[in-house]
Structure formats: C-alpha cells, structure tokens
Amino acid sequence: MLPWKRALRPLAALLLAAAAATVPATAAHADSTATTATTTSASGWNDYHCKPSAAHPRPVVLVHGTFGNSVDNWLALAPYLTVRGYCVFSVDYGQLPGVPFFNGLGPIDKSAAQLSAFVDKVLAATGAAEADLVGHSQGGMMPRYYLKFLGGAAKVNALVGVAPDNHGTTLSGLANLLPYFPGAEDLLSAATPGLADQVAGSAFLTKLNAGGDTVAGVRYTVIATKYDEVVTPWRTQYLSGSDVRNVLLQDLCPVDLSEHLAIGLFDRIAFHEVANALDPAHATATTCASVFS
C-alpha cells in the first residue's frame, strides 16, 4: 500500500468514530448477546456447556479491539483454538447507545468492568478457577486495567496481547495534531471516549501505567508487528515486568507483512504464537511454516 494511503487509515478511523457517534439513538439495534450466542456456539465457541480439559484447564476469553465485536474479530482465531481443545468465549464491551456492531468506543475503565463481569460468568459456567485472556489492539491493553484495579489478577493466569496499545498510540502522528485544533480533543472525548483514552499521554493511560506495567501472578505476552500503522510507534506495545514475553512477528517469520488488522484477524503465524503463550509447557517453534499448522 502506498505510504499516503497508510497515513489515511488513522484519519478514516477517527472519521468513522465521529460518524458512529452521530447515529440516532433510535437506530435499530439487535440484542448482541443473543446474536453472539446463537452465531458462535454452533461454531464451537461461546458454548457454555464446554468444560475445560486436563490438557487445557482454563477457558480462553477473547477480547476484541476498537470498532470490533465478539464475532467478527474472532472468525479465524476462535475456531483455531477450539479445534485444539480449548473452551473459548468472546466478550462484547464498550458499546455506545445507538451504535450497532462497532464496539470498544466507550470509556475503557467501564469496558474493563464489563470484562470483569464476563470473566465471572465464564468461570461460573466452566467451573474453572482462572481464565486466560487473549486480546487484539485495545482488547490487549484494556484487560490490564481489570487486572490492576478490578481484582482480575486473582482470576487470570495469562494475558496475551496481539498488537496491543499498551502505552497508547500517536496514530502515526495524527493524534499529535489534536492540540492545534481548538475543541478537537473535547469533541473526541465526548463522542468516543474509548478512542480518547487510547491517545498516548491520556489520563487513562497515565493511571494504567503508573507504578509499572504488570501485576504479580499473571503471565504476559505481547505479539507485535513492525508494520503496525495504528499502534505507533510499534515498540510502545511492549511491556516491562518480571513475567513478560515480548515477541516481534518478523523475528519469527521475516516475510510476514501483516499489519495491525491482519495480525489479529487471520495471521496463523501469530495464532501459533498465541497457542504457545496459552500452553508454554508444550510450545513449539513458530516459523513461517506455522501458517500451515
């Protein structure tokens, strides 16, 4: 893709957010929980009768990214994990009134509370003591608030972030322009607080990262791509801490050109590394050939 087209992607995201925020509250809005359960349980995930096995004793909760939802974000990864014997569940969070399908736009601290309730529901249904979390983009960062401030560390064994914006993003520098447009930051916060919270230096991220990136008792994995055009600079995705593994996709397969969306939506090399993070005792080398695994 031409460089100028890549630069326009963040702008398109912001415009989409503004458009979504203006959708009338009376817009038709299906019951996303019921739809998700019907759509995905037939495919093997969000099956509340699933009981974790001895080989995979913890349910996996998938946490979508900004503008995502519990189905579309996981059409490839959820089946990838279910056929490997995991009980897999996916959560919807961060909905705005009158905005269907595009989630992850609400205040992130409130989204973390939604995740907390969902994990409790999954643990109750499966009988497991802990869950593992796998999140894409915002979904790889938001759970850290749950772990740090909402008691999640006692209920979570591992967090795997795929292209997570752990320290915010400049949106390829676009966010740095906001102060030059009077009222733009206030408009962004009012219309789509979930986006405003992700801008590097936001009050939310300052609170989240104060005192260290991680909490004791949780294993962290970050899987990043150097071609990420949304979470920039890509190295800011990495975490620091005593039980952290930061992985660059191109160190595993130099010819993998996946960018921010591809790494989470359909990259089987990244998926193989997710599986390794969920079961490190049986991890196998992730290479370019992992696309066939």
Side-chain angles (χ1 to χ4, degrees), residues 147 153-154 156 214-220 242-243:
L147 299 177
V156 172
T214 64
V215 296
V218 179
R219 290 188 296 106
Y220 296 81
S242 60
D243 203 354

Side-chain angles (χ1 to χ4, degrees), residues 24-255:
T26 56
H29 186 256
D31 186 336
S32 61
T33 302
T35 301
T36 297
T38 301
T39 303
T40 60
S41 61
S43 303
W45 98 87
N46 282 332
D47 177 3
Y48 285 89
H49 298 292
C50 186
K51 299 299 181 183
S53 65
H56 302 303
R58 292 175 298 275
V60 177
V61 174
L62 304 178
V63 190
H64 65 73
T66 308
F67 298 116
N69 60 62
S70 62
V71 176
D72 294 344
N73 215 137
W74 307 119
L75 291 174
L77 181 57
Y80 182 95
L81 294 175
T82 56
V83 299
R84 285 160 175 77
Y86 289 92
C87 292
V88 178
F89 302 85
S90 55
V91 61
D92 277 304
Y93 70 88
Q95 302 93 332
L96 290 180
V99 182
F101 310 120
F102 299 109
N103 298 335
L105 299 174
I108 298 182
D109 57 346
K110 306 302 182 185
S111 294
Q114 291 179 282
L115 173 63
S116 176
F118 187 81
V119 171
D120 286 348
K121 177 181 177 181
V122 168
L123 294 181
T126 60
E130 292 183 313
D132 290 327
L133 308 181
V134 178
H136 178 218
S137 192
Q138 180 189 164
M141 173 272 290
M142 177 270 282
R144 292 177 49 226
Y145 190 95
Y146 163 55
L147 299 177
K148 194 169 186 178
F149 299 110
L150 303 180
K155 303 174 183 179
V156 172
N157 169 71
L159 170 61
V160 184
V162 181
D165 51 347
N166 281 315
H167 298 94
T169 176
T170 64
L171 293 175
S172 295
L174 186 62
N176 292 330
L177 298 176
L178 290 176
Y180 296 95
F181 295 90
E185 289 181 287
D186 292 339
L187 176 61
L188 183 62
S189 297
T192 54
L195 282 181
D197 284 346
Q198 294 176 77
V199 175
S202 71
F204 173 83
L205 288 168
T206 299
K207 176 181 178 180
L208 176 63
N209 293 313
D213 292 345
T214 64
V215 296
V218 179
R219 290 188 296 106
Y220 296 81
T221 301
V222 172
I223 304 171
T225 171
K226 68 180 181 181
Y227 299 113
D228 200 312
E229 80 285 30
V230 175
V231 182
T232 56
W234 65 263
R235 289 178 181 82
T236 62
Q237 299 175 28
Y238 283 175
L239 295 172
S240 298
S242 60
D243 203 354
V244 172
R245 182 166 184 260
N246 294 309
V247 180
L248 179 64
L249 193 62
Q250 285 71 36
D251 287 342
L252 307 175
C253 178
V255 298

